[in-house]
Amino acid sequence: MRLPHIRNLVSGIGLLVALVTALAVPVGYFAVRSSDAAAALGFKASLSAGRAAKYIFTYERLWQYQQVRLAEMIELPDERGERVRQRIVDLTGKVVLQEAGDLPFPVQMVRQPIVVRGETVAWLEAETTQRPLLVSTGLVAVVSSVLGLLAWLTVRLLPLRVLDQTLLRLSTESARFQAALDNMTQGLCLFDARHRLVVHNRRFVAMFGAPAAGAAASGLLPGHHLGRLFVPPDPQRPDEQDGGTHELADGRVIQISRQAVAGEGWVATFEDVTERKRSGERLSHMARHDALTGLPNRVLFREHMERVLPRLRRGEPLAVLCLDLDGFKGVNDTLGHPAGDELLRAVSRRLRDSTRETDLVARLGGDEFAIVQVGAEQPQSAAALADRLVEALREPFDLQGQWVEIGTSIGVVLADEGMGTADELLRNGDIALYRAKAAGRGTWRLFEPEMDTEIQKRRQAEIDLRRAIAEEQFEVHYQPLIEARGGVLTGFEALLRWHHPERGMISPAEFIPLAEEIGLIRAIGAWVLRKACADAAGWPGHVRIAINLSPVQFVNGHLVQEVEQALASAGLAASRLELEITESVLLQDNDATLGVLHRLHDLGVRISMDDFGTGYSSLSYLRRFPFDKIKIDQSFVRNLGGEKGSIEIIRAVVGLGKALGMNVLAEGVETAEQRGILEVEGCDELQGYLFSQPRPVRDVPAIIAAHPMARDAAARGPLLVVDNAGEGRAEAAPSGGAAARA
């Protein structure tokens, strides 16, 4: 029902209630009072008629002439001021007696028969005025009119006000509802039980166009071929509430949700998820591809492996190639990261050009790549591909006018049914890659089970080495340093030994490189410093100690503090400590390393260059830093008298040392002949198995006692040479003219 009809109906009901209230009350009041007055008047008339009948019965023949007496018979007492007029009328209608005069209009009359001996002989008429009743009825009418007006106001105005407020609230709610509908990101349409459209929002129109009013779902949008979007849900199948995703002919993707409205139709929402789907596809691509090269990343590589590994059960061969670029870090360091990024993109293109479309080329991170080769004859195909890749990446790259040459090392692993996971294949590929790098880079190696055994041994060695530090399985042995002329003991070189609880004594040549690689050499080196300085503090004041330093100890920046703490803790004079370094120390960072060396020199510690003559830049380092001593490498001493040129080199080194004011020590002295030659050539100190093997600290007092004391020790100053906190050197064994020295 429309709003005007509702208002007219309420107004009519209000008017009816007002009229009923205004008229019914006075009419009812008048009727009731009039009826009561008539009854009272009738009662009075019957009394008068009875008395008149008695009188007439007595004076049957003369009653008509006895008016005075009749008047007395019918006279009534005056009650509450009400006037009653009575008269007696004979049967002919003639007035026999009238008691009073006229009454004010209107008059109410009652007739009662006068019966004598069963016969009516006359009529008694009693009258009274109704004017007081009319007056009181008028007053009642006024009051009832007021009540009617109030009833009209109550019935009409209040409901209309409530109706208006309700309609306003409904209108507000409807406006809000419509605003919510129109601002929904989804299109919405509501169908009734006969599948006719009854509600739709603005987004629906924007998505599909304006439908015809009340259009049925089957013909909602003619010409749009969207009938499948408006299929009502089956209430018996809750799974049909979600209408799924549909791609339209114009490329849009619509997500539909349908919900049945019990007994009243159904509602459907439509959301354009085209951009979301495309964004999801882009995100999925980004999550599975390398942003720099566009190649699949580790995630997609692993997913691909999970898909292709089941083919092994069907007998299809599978090979994985793990690649690592050789020289990539140098490009980044010299030309910058933008050039490095460009190089990675160029490498990716060459990798794709060198592989089949069915092969997966992935970048695992940094300069690491992997290739999955499926369905090719193995191992021939993997070997041929590895050769092609090595050659392809060996060709120079043009990076913004800069020609760069790099290479690649490749580890190849052939999968079999026993290798069930991608992690196992990658692990074995990395092992083969490690062997390829160890072979000199720029080549490839095929994984073999023996490689894994070696890796396990290395891993166990790492575990044992860490345990050795915690359990203090290391020992420091000492080898004497002898003055060439006179055989005076000048000091000892501290040499590290590892006493393994199961394998026995392990050579430093075996465990020192591993300790340097995994970063344990710093802790080991600091321990050797403290131990050697503490041992040397108990020796005579002229006996010095030498300790070799690893290049790794210069990296963390704490070497100077560690030396200071070792000297202070032992109470050893800095002048009794000599630190030996090799050229590899100076190769890593010239300025920083030279700064550390100068700070150590300022402490009063002597600095010695070990293995002099075996590097490429020894002379330049002698010019840049004032070493206190240079040590001739044992390879020159070992060949004295047997290889042409060794004595000339020793002579040149000794002359150079004298010219620069440096002491010269020859190591690896094993025969008296070698000692004689070195003494003649002018070496200051000698060291080798000819004098003593490295001995534990408990044997040091006996070694000191077996050698003459230095008469000029105070003038010369004590010398302490500490072996590399873990760096060992191979010496030839005493037998056969060669000793292994570490």
Side-chain angles (χ1 to χ4, degrees):
M1 184 178 293
R2 295 182 179 179
L3 179 60
H5 294 167
I6 296 176
R7 298 182 68 88
N8 292 337
L9 177 62
V10 172
S11 297
I13 294 174
L15 181 60
L16 179 61
V17 171
L19 291 176
V20 169
T21 303
L23 297 178
V25 172
V27 169
Y29 175 82
F30 181 81
V32 171
R33 292 296 303 276
S34 178
S35 176
D36 291 344
L41 186 62
F43 177 73
K44 292 178 179 180
S46 63
L47 291 177
S48 297
R51 290 196 298 269
K54 290 179 179 181
Y55 183 80
I56 293 173
F57 178 79
T58 304
Y59 302 99
E60 183 176 359
R61 298 186 179 276
L62 299 175
W63 66 271
Q64 296 181 356
Y65 306 103
Q66 299 293 326
Q67 294 180 352
V68 175
R69 293 295 295 168
L70 286 174
E72 291 176 356
M73 292 295 108
I74 64 174
E75 183 179 3
L76 297 174
D78 186 5
E79 297 178 1
R80 297 189 302 275
E82 295 181 358
R83 295 180 60 189
V84 178
R85 185 178 64 178
Q86 301 182 88
R87 59 175 174 267
I88 298 175
V89 182
D90 61 15
L91 295 178
T92 63
K94 178 181 177 181
V95 176
V96 176
L97 173 66
Q98 181 168 316
E99 180 189 13
D102 294 335
L103 296 175
F105 181 83
V107 175
Q108 183 179 20
M109 183 185 69
V110 176
R111 297 184 70 186
Q112 288 290 338
I114 300 174
V115 179
V116 178
R117 295 187 184 92
E119 294 183 2
T120 301
V121 296
W123 292 91
L124 177 67
E125 294 181 352
E127 295 179 341
T128 184
T129 180
Q130 288 187 321
R131 181 169 294 181
L133 178 60
L134 290 178
V135 172
S136 61
T137 301
L139 293 176
V140 171
V142 171
V143 174
S144 64
S145 297
V146 173
L147 293 176
L149 178 61
L150 293 176
W152 182 81
L153 292 175
T154 302
V155 175
R156 182 183 184 277
L157 295 184
L158 293 180
L160 286 182
R161 180 175 298 176
V162 173
L163 177 63
D164 289 341
Q165 292 175 348
T166 302
L167 291 177
L168 178 61
R169 185 168 61 253
L170 292 176
S171 177
T172 302
E173 295 296 331
S174 177
R176 293 174 180 172
F177 176 70
Q178 190 63 42
L181 283 180
D182 289 340
N183 286 278
M184 287 177 61
T185 58
Q186 300 92 359
L188 179 141
C189 59
L190 174 65
F191 295 92
D192 60 17
R194 289 186 290 177
H195 298 184
R196 294 180 304 175
L197 179 67
V198 293
V199 174
H200 67 280
N201 65 352
R202 186 185 306 165
R203 180 58 179 158
F204 180 85
V205 175
M207 292 174 67
F208 304 114
S218 59
L220 185 64
L221 300 169
H224 284 72
H225 306 290
L226 302 177
R228 58 179 176 167
L229 300 182
F230 305 100
V231 178
D234 185 353
Q236 304 301 324
R237 299 185 60 185
D239 58 318
E240 288 193 0
Q241 294 179 4
D242 186 357
T245 302
H246 299 273
E247 185 170 355
L248 306 184
D250 57 5
R252 289 183 297 162
V253 180
I254 305 298
Q255 176 72 41
I256 306 171
S257 177
R258 295 191 289 259
Q259 178 68 50
V261 180
E264 298 183 4
W266 52 283
V267 64
T269 58
F270 308 87
E271 184 175 7
D272 189 338
V273 296
T274 307
E275 287 303 319
R276 185 194 306 171
K277 184 173 182 295
R278 292 173 181 171
S279 298
E281 291 172 350
R282 287 193 296 268
L283 290 175
S284 177
H285 183 274
M286 292 172 62
R288 290 171 170 78
H289 290 79
D290 176 51
L292 178 64
T293 63
L295 293 177
N297 60 11
R298 188 179 292 271
V299 175
L300 184 53
F301 171 81
R302 191 175 298 277
E303 292 176 354
H304 180 74
M305 290 294 295
E306 295 298 330
R307 289 194 298 268
V308 300
L309 281 175
R311 300 186 187 181
L312 293 173
R313 302 187 184 95
R314 302 196 296 265
E316 292 189 43
L318 172 66
V320 178
L321 289 78
C322 298
L323 294 79
D324 192 82
L325 301 183
D326 300 330
F328 175 74
K329 185 177 183 300
V331 175
N332 257 348
D333 294 342
T334 56
L335 300 181
H337 289 283
D341 293 343
E342 185 178 349
L343 176 60
L344 290 174
R345 287 190 288 266
V347 167
S348 302
R349 290 191 292 269
R350 290 193 186 181
L351 293 179
R352 283 193 291 259
D353 293 342
S354 302
T355 54
R356 305 172 303 170
E357 292 184 0
T358 56
D359 297 336
L360 177 75
V361 181
R363 182 189 177 202
L364 303 183
D367 59 345
E368 301 176 11
F369 296 85
I371 298 175
V372 182
Q373 191 182 59
V374 183
E377 186 177 356
Q378 300 297 353
Q380 297 88 338
S381 296
L385 176 58
D387 287 333
R388 288 199 307 273
L389 295 175
V390 169
E391 292 300 322
L393 298 183
R394 186 175 292 162
E395 295 295 324
F397 291 86
D398 183 7
L399 304 180
Q400 300 177 355
Q402 296 280 346
W403 286 96
V404 173
E405 293 186 7
I406 61 169
T408 184
S409 299
I410 305 176
V412 181
V413 57
L414 302 179
D416 55 38
E417 194 169 348
M419 294 182 181
T421 66
D423 290 335
E424 292 178 3
L425 290 173
L426 278 179
R427 175 180 172 274
N428 293 338
D430 287 338
I431 292 174
L433 174 61
Y434 177 81
R435 292 298 296 270
K437 286 183 173 293
R441 303 178 183 269
T443 185
W444 62 274
R445 288 291 182 271
L446 180 65
F447 173 78
E448 298 175 356
E450 294 78 9
M451 297 179 181
D452 188 30
T453 303
E454 294 180 8
I455 292 296
Q456 294 300 330
K457 289 182 179 179
R458 171 187 167 86
R459 186 168 295 122
Q460 185 60 46
E462 292 183 16
I463 296 173
D464 291 346
L465 191 57
R466 296 180 188 277
R467 184 181 296 116
I469 297 175
E471 298 177 0
E472 298 184 355
Q473 297 174 6
F474 294 108
E475 297 180 12
V476 179
H477 287 199
Y478 299 94
Q479 188 174 33
L481 308 178
I482 305 299
E483 190 178 71
R485 298 179 184 274
V488 175
L489 178 69
T490 60
F492 288 91
E493 181 175 5
L495 301 168
L496 185 63
R497 296 292 184 265
W498 178 13
H499 192 276
H500 194 281
E502 298 175 359
R503 298 171 57 191
M505 198 67 69
I506 300 178
S507 169
E510 180 178 346
F511 70 83
I512 291 300
L514 177 60
E516 289 180 328
E517 184 176 342
I518 64 178
L520 294 179
I521 195 63
R522 296 188 182 95
I524 295 174
W527 179 83
V528 171
L529 273 170
R530 295 192 300 270
K531 174 63 175 172
C533 289
D535 290 343
W539 302 338
H542 73 281
V543 179
R544 295 173 258 182
I545 186 81
I547 303 176
N548 278 332
L549 296 179
S550 167
V552 180
Q553 291 178 265
F554 284 81
V555 175
N556 62 5
H558 302 307
L559 179 59
V560 177
Q561 292 88 334
E562 291 173 355
V563 171
E564 289 178 329
Q565 291 173 3
L567 292 172
S569 177
L572 186 71
S575 58
R576 295 182 62 188
L577 174 62
E578 182 173 300
L579 300 177
E580 297 186 5
I581 67 170
T582 60
E583 283 187 58
S584 57
V585 172
L586 297 168
L587 286 174
Q588 53 191 10
D589 190 339
N590 288 345
D591 293 336
T593 302
L594 288 174
V596 173
L597 291 175
H598 279 291
R599 290 169 61 191
L600 291 172
H601 211 266
D602 292 341
L603 293 177
V605 175
R606 295 165 61 89
I607 307 297
S608 172
M609 175 174 279
D610 197 7
D611 298 336
F612 184 80
T614 59
Y616 300 97
S617 306
S618 297
L619 296 180
S620 66
Y621 293 139
L622 293 178
R623 177 178 58 84
R624 297 184 62 187
F625 183 79
F627 288 92
D628 298 290
K629 179 191 291 186
I630 55 178
K631 298 181 69 173
I632 300 175
D633 187 70
Q634 59 181 325
S635 61
F636 301 112
V637 176
R638 186 182 303 120
N639 295 319
L640 279 177
E643 181 177 314
K644 184 179 180 180
S646 294
I647 192 169
E648 286 79 7
I649 293 175
I650 289 176
R651 185 177 297 142
V653 173
V654 172
L656 179 62
K658 299 297 183 183
L660 296 176
M662 301 176 184
N663 287 344
V664 179
L665 182 147
E667 58 184 0
V669 179
E670 300 173 358
T671 66
E673 180 185 6
Q674 293 170 347
R675 176 181 181 178
I677 295 174
L678 294 171
E679 184 177 349
V680 170
E681 294 301 329
C683 284
D684 298 298
E685 294 176 282
L686 305 176
Q687 177 184 359
Y689 278 13
L690 177 63
F691 308 104
S692 174
Q693 294 184 13
R695 306 298 300 169
V697 66
R698 62 178 177 271
D699 296 340
V700 170
I703 297 175
I704 295 176
H707 289 81
M709 300 295 289
R711 291 185 299 273
D712 57 345
R716 204 169 33 245
L719 172 65
L720 176 60
V721 182
V722 182
D723 190 15
N724 175 332
E727 183 176 72
R729 295 185 300 278
E731 295 183 351
S735 59
R741 172 180 168 275

